[in-house]
Amino acid sequence: RLYDAGEGQLFGADEGVYMELFTQRSWQQLRAIIQAFDGLGDRDFVSSIKHQFAKATDLFSGNFARALVMIAQFVLNPGKYWAEKLKDAASGMGTDDDVIFRIFATRAEIDLGEAIIQYGQHYGKTLRGMIKSEYSD
């Protein structure tokens, strides 16, 4: 059904189907649905969303697509999702202290340990090293 609402459409996507699935399913169900979708066609779920909504001209569709991508990335691998947010907060001009502190405060007892592991695996350095380099004088 999800495939038919997106990749199966000639033009655009049936946002109602996405809305229904993403608001009425648990994280575990969403993970299973997205993983099943990934085996159906040429594109994985995230690539499909980006493709289906790429030509969105209204604000709702563009924001909706970004929200779906963000939820899908979190559902598939929460640790990697938070590691990416930490990396983004430390990249570029200045460090976004608020984001780093918020992630540490809200994820400490949930999945911060997994984010630390994922950070090391994806960025080739430890989160501790990043923090030390960002906050030492």
Side-chain angles (χ1 to χ4, degrees):
R1 183 169 168 210
L2 185 61
Y3 184 85
D4 291 338
E7 288 291 318
Q9 296 283 323
L10 290 176
F11 300 102
D14 185 348
E15 292 176 358
V17 172
Y18 288 93
M19 183 73 77
E20 178 184 333
L21 286 171
F22 275 72
T23 59
Q24 298 179 10
R25 300 293 187 263
S26 70
W27 294 120
Q28 294 81 9
Q29 289 171 323
L30 281 175
R31 183 179 301 114
I33 290 166
I34 292 168
Q35 288 171 338
F37 182 98
D38 288 351
L40 293 177
D42 296 336
R43 295 184 185 95
D44 65 13
F45 181 79
V46 171
S47 298
S48 176
I49 292 296
K50 290 177 180 178
H51 175 76
Q52 289 300 317
F53 292 95
K55 296 178 182 151
T57 57
D58 63 329
L59 184 61
F60 175 75
S61 291
N63 288 338
F64 185 64
R66 283 188 290 281
L68 291 177
V69 168
M70 182 183 72
I71 292 167
Q73 290 171 335
F74 175 81
V75 164
L76 291 171
N77 191 337
K80 182 179 177 188
Y81 174 83
W82 292 117
E84 289 173 359
K85 297 300 170 200
L86 288 164
K87 176 71 170 168
D88 291 346
S91 297
M93 296 282 291
T95 301
D96 192 337
D97 297 335
D98 290 341
V99 170
I100 292 174
F101 297 155
R102 192 174 308 117
I103 292 171
F104 272 81
T106 61
R107 309 313 297 181
E109 296 182 14
I110 302 168
D111 51 12
L112 185 60
E114 183 59 28
I116 291 168
I117 292 168
Q118 291 289 326
Y119 191 94
Q121 289 177 348
H122 290 282
Y123 303 113
K125 56 184 174 180
T126 66
L127 183 59
R128 180 183 183 133
M130 180 275 289
I131 291 171
K132 190 174 181 178
S133 70
E134 291 294 323
Y135 293 104
S136 54
D137 293 330

